[in-house]
Amino acid sequence: MKMSKEIVYKFMKTQNRPFSTNDVVVNLRNELGKSVVQKAFDQLVHEGKLVEKVYGKQKVYCPAQELSRNADELLRIDKELHSHANELESRQQSLEKEVRTIEASLAGLKSSITLEEARMQQLERKHIVDNLTQKLNNLMEASGSEDLTETKRKIENALIICKREYSKRKRIVTEILDCIRENYPGSKIELYEEIGIIEKVL
């Protein structure tokens, strides 16, 4: 433990800036564990070699003798501590937000059906459709009805023929009326009323 404390104190003296426990662990490249670094910090604070600053849930440490130089240096370090604490708090909030997003995505995935379940549902629905199609074919065969697709096709063809015939006859009537109107003394509406034609039909 004594060697660990010396390593931590030497690092803090060399860097001469505020650090949290995690910062020291990372900068020492995990040479010392977090609990070991924290114990070293506690002892060094107790011995008066380090000063501890608490910002919310975050603790940071810096060499004590550096604080005693002058008031300006004290203010500078205090500002640096605040800045460091704010940075850590911002990072923590960002990580917490990311965790909540991941948890929400995970909850969504858990509530969704699996690929295997989706395949099973697809097979079940296909089986239902096949059964209903077979029942429909059996009913049509028993009643002597034509295939529905063929019936629909015939109706659509008949509708096309009717529309074509209607357009042809409408054109003929319009041409005849135009010829009559050339010598008719009244208006178009009066002509239609006299003949008994509803204009909307044309």
Side-chain angles (χ1 to χ4, degrees), residues 8-110:
V8 172
Y9 185 61
K10 180 179 179 182
F11 172 79
M12 295 296 290
K13 288 283 289 181
T14 303
Q15 297 297 320
N16 191 28
R17 61 180 294 269
F19 280 96
S20 67
T21 305
N22 287 334
D23 291 334
V24 173
V25 172
V26 172
N27 279 276
L28 291 177
R29 300 187 180 185
N30 296 312
E31 181 181 348
L32 301 176
K34 184 176 179 180
S35 60
V36 174
V37 173
Q38 187 59 58
K39 287 179 181 179
F41 272 151
D42 293 339
Q43 285 193 1
L44 291 167
V45 170
H46 181 72
E47 295 172 4
K49 294 180 178 181
L50 294 182
V51 173
E52 177 186 270
K53 287 280 186 176
V54 180
Y55 298 95
K57 296 180 180 181
Q58 183 66 39
K59 292 181 179 181
V60 292
Y61 302 85
C62 57
Q65 61 268 33
E66 298 301 328
L67 293 175
S68 62
R69 288 182 177 178
N70 51 57
D72 291 338
E73 185 70 4
L74 176 62
L75 290 173
R76 183 189 67 78
I77 294 178
D78 196 51
K79 287 181 180 179
E80 189 174 349
L81 290 173
H82 274 288
S83 177
H84 188 66
N86 290 336
E87 181 184 343
L88 291 173
E89 184 177 356
S90 177
R91 188 190 308 171
Q92 179 182 354
Q93 291 175 354
S94 177
L95 290 173
E96 287 176 351
K97 183 179 179 181
E98 186 176 347
V99 168
R100 287 195 296 269
T101 301
I102 293 174
E103 287 177 345
S105 298
L106 181 60
L109 290 173
K110 286 182 178 179

Side-chain angles (χ1 to χ4, degrees), residues 3 51-52 71 83 115 126 128 149 187 190:
M3 183 179 296
V51 173
E52 177 186 270
S83 177
L115 180 60
K126 184 178 183 302
I128 292 173
T149 303
S187 67
E190 290 173 343

